[in-house]
Amino acid sequence: KESSLSVSTDGNNLFWVLAPRGGVVVQLSVVASQQVNPDASEPLVRISDLDEVLVIAEVPEIDAVDAKVGQKVTVVARDGNASREGVVDYISQVVDPLRQTVETRIRLDNRDRLMRPNAFVEATLEPDASTQRVQVPEDAVVLSSERSVVFVEQSTGRLQRVVVQPGRRRDHQVEIRSGLAPGTKYVAKGALLLLNQVELAD
């Protein structure tokens, strides 16, 4: 807007247009000698303050369940030359139907300018100390009647199927979101074979 700009001239048909605050030119849509008019559809120049940047992360739906505004996030540049801690600023309430991800906005300090606009980065949500999850080997979780179950020890030599809600899977481990308390003894290997024997007996 005209009111937000400072315009001066040097008397040689050259005009200097100054932004109201300092920043970095991140988009330039005009060239020397180009004629411009007030009804242009796009800004001629975009200037941004890069002391702070926003990272838009596509968080898998299952991971976004534990994400919270204000949660700490570690952000690493793809080339590995920059790593820093950010904070979750916004979490979308909508899941992308194609990617099955949730858009999450992270705010980062960038006074050293190592995080560049439009660059790809990797973001890792720091675990919330108040939220503890049980992890079990993948072989411990089997499907029974379209439900995920784990065989747990009820008493010496006696096992019982317990319905669980599995979460993230990493390095052949499954996070159990509910159904299995910490310290519970369970069958870690051969659960599928055990399930087949139980279903044959039934």
Side-chain angles (χ1 to χ4, degrees), residues 28-36 44:
L28 185 63
S29 302
V30 65
V31 297
S33 301
Q34 177 180 336
Q35 182 177 351
V36 297
L44 302 179

Side-chain angles (χ1 to χ4, degrees), residues 76-119:
V76 180
R78 178 165 285 185
D79 59 11
N81 291 330
S83 174
R84 66 205 45 201
E85 188 177 89
V87 176
V88 174
D89 183 69
Y90 165 80
I91 302 171
S92 174
Q93 298 299 308
V94 179
V95 177
D96 186 297
L98 297 178
R99 299 177 181 173
Q100 291 299 294
T101 56
V102 176
E103 183 178 297
T104 302
R105 191 171 63 205
I106 302 162
R107 192 174 294 274
L108 286 181
D109 181 277
N110 191 45
R111 281 172 287 188
D112 57 9
R113 300 293 198 275
L114 290 180
M115 293 293 180
R116 298 177 181 274
N118 301 321

Side-chain angles (χ1 to χ4, degrees), residues 49-101:
D49 180 0
L50 299 183
D51 283 352
E52 187 177 60
V53 295
L54 294 176
V55 174
I56 305 300
E58 297 293 335
V59 179
E61 180 185 3
I62 199 165
D63 292 337
V65 174
D66 291 329
K68 300 176 182 176
V69 172
Q71 185 174 358
K72 294 181 180 179
V73 184
T74 299
V75 177
V76 180
R78 178 165 285 185
D79 59 11
N81 291 330
S83 174
R84 66 205 45 201
E85 188 177 89
V87 176
V88 174
D89 183 69
Y90 165 80
I91 302 171
S92 174
Q93 298 299 308
V94 179
V95 177
D96 186 297
L98 297 178
R99 299 177 181 173
Q100 291 299 294
T101 56

